[in-house]
Amino acid sequence: MYNLFNLSDQTWQLLDQSGILAGNFFMLVSVLGAVYGFINRNDLRHWLVRNRFPRIGGELHNRHWQGLIFTVSRAEVPLWVVDQLQPLWVGLLVTQFSAASGEQIKQSLQRQNRQVMLCYIDNPDDPKEVYGQTRLLIQSLQQHNLDKIAIDITGGKAPMSLGAFMAAEELGADSIYVSTEQQAGKIDMSSAKIIAIAQRS
């Protein structure tokens, strides 16, 4: 009996066994890849959708956030936003210049039986530090089974807002901004409105 390409039976058996071995190897790699992908599905999803902004600006599509995180300058704006949106938990990113405002916000919200976490920023000009601390706050909220989270980037210096925004994008949180007018050099909260920066849904 002649074999294809005039190869011997031994050669065909070797090729057959090699094919089975290769198939088993790739099946094992696929299974391990699937397990790894499942365990790290959140990181994988964020990597796949990185630097994409599904909804930029426009009207708020969600006003029912369970957790809000603020870059703090003054107390008026965060307190007004909390009053408007009624979150369960609040995170505050404060510096040495806004620590007093942060304490004022914390005490006011705790009297309303809201959970408040304060996080201190040593260098408000370092977006990397703010990014890292914002990630920690978001993850802390997520550990309390809160999946609807927004970051208000109104307060603080520009590097603070940028660092907080980048953390929000990576961890799938929305970001908002409060627009206000000024009267005699003071914030006019009667003109305040919440503006969407980036929203997931």
Side-chain angles (χ1 to χ4, degrees):
M1 178 180 292
Y2 292 97
N3 290 321
L4 187 63
F5 305 125
N6 292 323
L7 298 177
S8 66
D9 290 341
Q10 291 85 351
T11 302
W12 279 113
Q13 288 178 354
L14 179 61
L15 291 173
D16 184 49
Q17 292 172 354
S18 299
I20 293 172
L21 182 62
N24 290 338
F25 173 77
F26 287 114
M27 183 179 67
L28 177 62
V29 169
S30 299
V31 170
L32 291 175
V35 171
Y36 178 84
F38 178 78
I39 293 172
N40 297 281
R41 58 190 179 279
N42 289 331
D43 292 337
L44 183 60
R45 182 177 68 251
H46 293 144
W47 181 82
L48 290 172
V49 299
R50 66 196 186 284
N51 295 331
R52 296 178 188 170
F53 306 96
R55 286 185 177 163
I56 303 174
E59 296 295 323
L60 289 179
H61 295 281
N62 180 13
R63 298 179 65 91
H64 303 289
W65 291 291
Q66 301 162 310
L68 290 176
I69 296 173
F70 295 88
T71 53
V72 177
S73 290
R74 304 178 185 181
E76 298 96 322
V77 172
L79 288 174
W80 179 84
V81 173
V82 169
D83 186 57
Q84 298 295 308
L85 301 178
Q86 300 292 312
L88 300 174
W89 286 71
V90 174
L92 303 173
L93 294 158
V94 300
T95 67
Q96 62 176 337
F97 305 106
S98 62
S101 294
E103 286 296 332
Q104 179 184 344
I105 297 167
K106 179 179 178 180
Q107 292 174 15
S108 176
L109 296 183
Q110 285 180 335
R111 286 195 293 270
Q112 301 173 26
N113 295 318
R114 299 190 192 281
Q115 301 294 325
V116 183
M117 291 181 288
L118 232 66
C119 183
Y120 289 92
I121 304 298
D122 291 327
N123 183 3
D125 290 317
D126 183 4
K128 183 177 180 180
E129 180 187 357
V130 181
Y131 160 84
Q133 296 296 343
T134 305
R135 281 183 62 97
L136 290 176
L137 278 179
I138 294 173
Q139 290 167 344
S140 294
L141 293 179
Q142 290 172 337
Q143 287 172 1
H144 288 88
N145 297 318
L146 306 181
D147 57 358
K148 295 179 180 178
I149 300 169
I151 314 296
D152 183 330
I153 60 173
T154 308
K157 301 177 77 171
M160 284 186 66
S161 296
L162 289 171
F165 174 77
M166 286 187 285
E169 284 302 307
E170 285 199 6
L171 294 184
D174 295 340
S175 53
I176 59 176
Y177 180 85
V178 178
S179 173
T180 59
E181 297 178 2
Q182 291 198 353
Q183 295 288 343
K186 294 184 178 180
I187 294 177
D188 178 13
M189 293 308 299
S190 66
S191 67
K193 58 183 178 180
I194 301 172
I195 297 173
I197 300 298
Q199 298 179 93
R200 292 292 174 278
S201 59

